[in-house]
Amino acid sequence: MTIRTSLISEPIENLVKYASNGKLNIPIFQRSFIWREEQIKMFVESLIKGYPLGTFMFWENETLDKYNEQKQHATWVIDGQQRLTTLCLITGIKPAWYKSNIDQDQQKRRGRPSKNPTTWKELTELYPVQVNLANKEVRLSKQLDDNYIKITDLFREKPPENLQDQYRETYYDLRADILKRDIHIWKLPDELDIFTVAEIFKQVNKGGINVSTSDIILSYLATYNPDWVKNTLKPYLKDRQELEPSALLQLLFIIGKKSDVFIQSSVDKDFYENGIVNIFNNVRPSIDQFLQYEKGLKGLTKLTNQHALMLAIYSLYKNKDKDEAFALYLLALLIGRYTARAFGALEQDINTIEKEGTEGLIKDWLSRYTAPLEVTAEKIKDYKYNRGIGKVYSLILYLAVYEDSASKFSSAKPQITEAHHFFPKAVLKDKYKEDEINSLANIVFIPATTNKKLKKEPYQYIKEKGIGEEELKLNLIPIKEQLWYNEHYYDFISERAKLIAEIINRYLTERIKSVLSI
């Protein structure tokens, strides 16, 4: 789809006015002002010298303010918030979104002043940017010389009392030039959906702030239900790192409105304020039950494919069968049901369960996909643990061995478990190819803290760490010391692939074939 954007221009004096009166608004996820002093200085320098300032990007969506009594939230600043806030800072015009409770830890990390501003005026005085009226040089300094003025003084009602007469004309001309300067703005079409806007934001902010689709959707919901988003939903998601917020919200919309479209004119205000809250409260127990069903799932922050997870949660919510829900989750991963952008696929599958039950869904899947419910040692050796179907089998391997073995390389129970190369990359990279190093047969799952300490050949760190035979067997490591040397790496992955294939095939039989009768 080709997006028809339009390019407009607005003078700076209009932009800061719109920021002040609420015509322009910043989504919740963007509200922190994080520019360092040096970044502000460089921006002011470009402003003073007439250098390009880059384009801004706005999204004006009528639905955003259709149900908002203030009628001032329709235009979001998708790109340009840091620059717009800086323009407000130097002109002394407080934007409507300004909050005084700035995150002090973030200030320190970003190299910002440690003083806590309680007013907009105090914030404007934190950044000692000055301009030389004689040559338009810009600097950071708290000491004023004859030719320098604070950039904020350039926009006061009256010029500084100590301003020399010879610079008064320059003062007024420079001020007028800045305020009248046009900024180019790309306007996104009103009809764009929230996911497209999210993708656009990611593209234009590559290398900058990491903002996800979830952030934008949460900001949209907070327009209607700020207390619930802030006090209930966001804390819950923070404690459930296994969940991707956008996927969960999509599930709630499918259940509540039979559609995965978040922004639509047919959804009334009551749904955003009350309906989605009620659905969340009903689905929440199923989420917790599913994540506690298999010990390896709880606390695993990178579950393979969120849409498969949402389908499983829905199945448990609908049918109250934990074994069936988990089997569907694994089967969806293995057939690659949601490998592409799968908003429509999840809605379709939930509708199938509604109309035809789980048996109807399985029949539909198996008529279109090949279910790899058995794996050979050769395939395990060839699969890369971090790509394609290898990533799925990596998760299944993790789940199969987690309960007995995940903490056996360390005396303490792990907080976070990571995939570890049994033969570390560093000791193999000069002799073996990357794909060979990343073979699933070279992967074990151990605590992150232990992972960072194992940097030698296996025969060395096994002895140094006192790792016993029982621990090695639980992690499916062949108990032949000669296989723990680099020169025998090929023999090692061949032997271990047999052990992995055996446990994965047994796991798939017990957790999918037997449960779903396929």
Side-chain angles (χ1 to χ4, degrees):
M1 177 183 73
T2 300
I3 296 174
R4 304 292 183 183
T5 57
S6 56
L7 185 63
I8 64 171
S9 297
E10 285 281 2
I12 287 174
E13 62 181 347
N14 283 1
L15 291 180
V16 294
K17 180 178 69 175
Y18 298 155
S20 176
N21 65 23
K23 186 173 180 180
L24 291 177
N25 193 36
I26 303 298
I28 288 174
F29 63 83
Q30 283 201 68
R31 282 183 178 166
S32 295
F33 180 63
I34 60 173
W35 265 15
R36 303 178 181 90
E37 292 178 345
E38 185 62 30
Q39 289 172 292
I40 295 175
K41 171 186 171 292
M42 292 175 64
F43 180 76
V44 169
E45 191 169 34
S46 296
L47 191 63
I48 295 292
K49 296 184 177 181
Y51 296 164
L53 300 176
T55 56
F56 287 36
M57 186 177 292
F58 294 168
W59 183 38
E60 184 174 351
N61 185 289
E62 292 181 1
T63 308
L64 288 175
D65 97 323
K66 185 173 182 178
Y67 305 110
N68 191 311
E69 294 177 359
Q70 295 179 357
K71 300 293 183 181
Q72 293 181 342
H73 289 251
T75 302
W76 279 3
V77 181
I78 301 301
D79 187 42
Q81 185 250 350
Q82 301 297 316
R83 287 169 289 166
L84 182 55
T85 304
T86 299
L87 290 172
C88 290
L89 272 174
I90 66 176
T91 57
I93 297 178
K94 178 182 174 181
W97 60 80
Y98 171 73
K99 303 292 183 183
S100 62
N101 55 335
I102 294 176
D103 188 331
Q104 293 298 296
D105 290 335
Q106 188 180 64
Q107 286 190 14
K108 293 175 182 177
R109 290 194 300 270
R110 295 278 180 173
R112 292 180 57 192
S114 60
K115 180 183 176 182
N116 183 21
T118 58
T119 67
W120 175 254
K121 183 176 184 296
E122 288 180 2
L123 182 63
T124 63
E125 293 173 350
L126 281 182
Y127 304 95
V129 181
Q130 301 177 3
V131 58
N132 188 319
L133 294 179
N135 56 20
K136 296 186 180 180
E137 291 299 321
V138 178
R139 72 178 185 183
L140 289 170
S141 177
K142 294 182 179 180
Q143 301 297 323
L144 283 173
D145 298 330
D146 290 342
N147 296 337
Y148 280 92
I149 64 168
K150 296 178 182 178
I151 186 62
T152 51
D153 286 341
L154 189 61
F155 301 95
R156 305 298 185 198
E157 290 184 7
K158 297 180 180 180
E161 292 182 359
N162 61 344
L163 181 65
Q164 298 180 35
D165 291 340
Q166 60 182 316
Y167 296 124
R168 286 185 176 272
E169 184 177 352
T170 302
Y171 172 91
Y172 286 111
D173 288 346
L174 184 57
R175 172 176 169 166
D177 287 345
I178 292 174
L179 292 176
K180 298 296 183 184
R181 180 171 178 181
D182 281 338
I183 298 292
H184 298 302
I185 303 159
W186 286 108
K187 292 193 67 176
L188 299 178
D190 171 80
E191 64 271 15
L192 290 183
D193 63 82
I194 198 78
F195 299 104
T196 302
V197 173
E199 290 301 320
I200 292 171
F201 188 94
K202 290 176 186 178
Q203 289 296 321
V204 299
N205 284 277
K206 281 185 175 180
I209 304 171
N210 184 20
V211 176
S212 67
T213 305
S214 306
D215 294 320
I216 292 182
I217 294 169
L218 288 174
S219 295
Y220 177 72
L221 286 177
T223 301
Y224 302 94
N225 204 331
D227 291 339
W228 177 68
V229 170
K230 179 181 179 181
N231 300 324
T232 301
L233 184 60
K234 293 184 82 171
Y236 180 78
L237 291 171
K238 184 177 181 181
D239 291 338
R240 296 291 185 277
Q241 296 184 27
E242 307 90 349
L243 302 175
E244 169 60 39
S246 63
L248 174 59
L249 292 170
Q250 181 190 354
L251 175 62
L252 300 181
F253 267 70
I254 293 174
I255 294 173
K257 304 303 295 184
K258 308 302 181 186
S259 172
D260 57 12
V261 179
F262 286 87
I263 295 183
Q264 50 182 317
S265 58
S266 62
V267 176
D268 59 15
K269 184 178 179 182
D270 183 65
F271 178 76
Y272 287 105
E273 293 184 344
N274 302 303
I276 196 169
V277 176
N278 294 332
I279 294 169
F280 172 75
N281 291 337
N282 292 335
V283 173
R284 182 172 176 171
S286 298
I287 299 172
D288 297 337
Q289 289 171 24
F290 184 80
L291 294 178
Q292 292 168 0
Y293 170 77
E294 186 79 348
K295 288 185 177 181
L297 288 175
K298 188 70 178 72
L300 188 63
T301 58
K302 294 182 180 179
L303 284 174
T304 301
N305 199 294
Q306 286 287 307
H307 292 93
L309 178 60
M310 292 305 111
L311 179 76
I313 290 170
Y314 175 78
S315 173
L316 181 55
Y317 164 74
K318 178 73 174 177
N319 300 323
K320 313 302 180 186
D321 188 330
K322 297 178 185 178
D323 292 338
E324 181 181 270
F326 187 68
L328 284 177
Y329 170 66
L330 294 178
L331 183 58
L333 296 180
L334 286 167
I335 65 175
R337 172 56 175 156
Y338 306 111
T339 52
R341 189 177 181 184
F343 300 117
L346 179 61
E347 181 181 348
Q348 178 185 339
D349 290 344
I350 287 177
N351 289 337
T352 300
I353 292 177
E354 285 275 359
K355 296 175 182 178
E356 305 174 31
T358 302
E359 291 183 1
L361 178 64
I362 294 171
K363 182 179 179 181
D364 176 59
W365 280 0
L366 295 183
S367 69
R368 291 189 285 159
Y369 302 96
T370 300
L373 297 178
E374 188 170 343
V375 65
T376 66
E378 281 301 312
K379 287 184 177 179
I380 292 294
K381 191 168 64 172
D382 291 339
Y383 287 149
K384 313 305 174 286
Y385 83 99
N386 55 354
R387 295 209 305 264
I389 190 66
K391 192 174 181 180
V392 176
Y393 280 117
S394 179
L395 174 65
I396 293 173
L397 173 62
Y398 168 81
L399 294 172
V401 303
Y402 177 86
E403 182 174 355
D404 293 326
S405 65
S407 62
K408 296 302 182 179
F409 279 95
S410 173
S411 59
K413 188 168 181 62
Q415 295 291 321
I416 300 175
T417 300
E418 288 185 347
H420 164 69
H421 292 75
F422 181 74
F423 278 80
K425 288 183 178 182
V427 304
L428 293 178
K429 64 180 182 179
D430 293 335
K431 188 175 180 180
Y432 299 93
K433 297 177 181 179
E434 184 176 0
D435 281 351
E436 295 173 333
I437 297 171
N438 287 332
S439 166
L440 180 56
N442 189 33
I443 297 300
V444 293
F445 297 93
I446 59 176
T449 52
T450 303
N451 188 358
K452 296 175 183 177
K453 298 176 183 178
L454 304 181
K455 298 180 179 179
K456 299 179 181 179
E457 290 188 47
Y459 81 91
Q460 294 174 299
Y461 69 69
I462 287 174
K463 292 179 181 178
E464 291 177 0
K465 302 297 179 183
I467 301 172
E469 184 173 316
E470 179 185 359
E471 289 92 331
L472 293 169
K473 286 182 177 179
L474 287 171
N475 280 276
L476 310 179
I477 304 300
I479 309 300
K480 297 178 183 178
E481 186 173 346
Q482 65 268 29
L483 296 180
W484 304 341
Y485 289 77
N486 278 10
E487 56 266 31
H488 297 298
Y489 177 66
Y490 288 140
D491 294 330
F492 167 81
I493 59 174
S494 294
E495 287 295 315
R496 188 162 186 258
K498 297 175 185 177
L499 300 175
I500 292 175
E502 181 181 353
I503 194 174
I504 285 181
N505 287 332
R506 183 167 65 247
Y507 191 83
L508 294 179
T509 297
E510 294 173 355
R511 299 306 179 95
I512 300 181
K513 291 181 179 179
S514 298
V515 174
L516 300 179
S517 300
I518 58 176

